[in-house]
Amino acid sequence: MPGDVRAGTPGAAFFDVDGTLTTGTTLFRFLEYRFAVEGRPPQAYTEERQRLRAMTEAGVCRSRTNRAYFASYARLGVSYVADLAEDWFRTELESGGFLHDSAVAALRGHQAAGEPVVLVSGSFPALLAPLARLLDVDAVLATEPETLLGHYTGDATVTMIGATKADAVRSWCAEHGIDPAAATAYGDHASDLPMLRATGRGVVVGGDRELRAVAARQGWRLLPAPPAAPPLRLPEPLWTARAPSAAARRPA
């Protein structure tokens, strides 16, 4: 039970990212940014969002929609996406309002207490790397897009959603000599519930009804929901200068 951990037992903190540490969804904000760079019309992004939203509304599980997100990445170079992600994240920071101050303050509190901090996210490493560097976290457990010969295939080998998050947290604790009962997990969505239950202390960020109901029963701490994400500042199209040529992409 929470609160039963012996004093001095080493702990750790596991943070969801989208809607927990950030005010916006990294996957979709970067996708909109990338489409703008590639010179695609605004409706291309709208149609992609609608495609994924329709899957959710049809009852498709979150893990499958997470995999489906990567379809538009097929044949894009891994290094190209990584470089573009750095540009995108820099733009978010310069615009301001992308980080959720309450959750970041909680993260800093764990670091001040000497606890390792781990990001656990359905987003993917290219987008999480600049955030992990900024926050100086110890590890990132994330969805793993499938790659071949330095290019994305349009699929994913691991989707860090739901029970997979809990399994990843338990594995990380085992590898690093951490008792999960001494750990704390932060999440904002019902799909984060397995991860929160895998640790000794769950913290609910925002107003998800299912999570708040569990928090009331378990005595978990609550953090306020993040404010609305600021408008995304879109770049001018740079496809010819930045994106890989057709010849540079992975052969079909």
Side-chain angles (χ1 to χ4, degrees), residues 70-83:
F70 292 100
S72 73
Y73 288 77
R75 303 181 71 183
L76 289 182
V78 172
S79 60
Y80 159 68
V81 172
D83 289 346

Side-chain angles (χ1 to χ4, degrees), residues 164-217:
T164 305
K165 282 189 172 184
D167 291 342
V169 165
R170 283 189 285 263
S171 294
W172 195 91
C173 285
E175 291 171 6
H176 294 83
I178 302 291
D179 181 356
T184 308
Y186 293 73
D188 73 301
H189 188 270
S191 63
D192 294 320
L193 188 52
M195 177 176 72
L196 272 59
R197 283 178 165 155
T199 63
R201 293 176 291 272
V203 180
V204 173
V205 180
D208 184 280
R209 288 185 178 181
E210 183 176 350
L211 282 188
R212 290 179 71 91
V214 175
R217 293 194 297 270

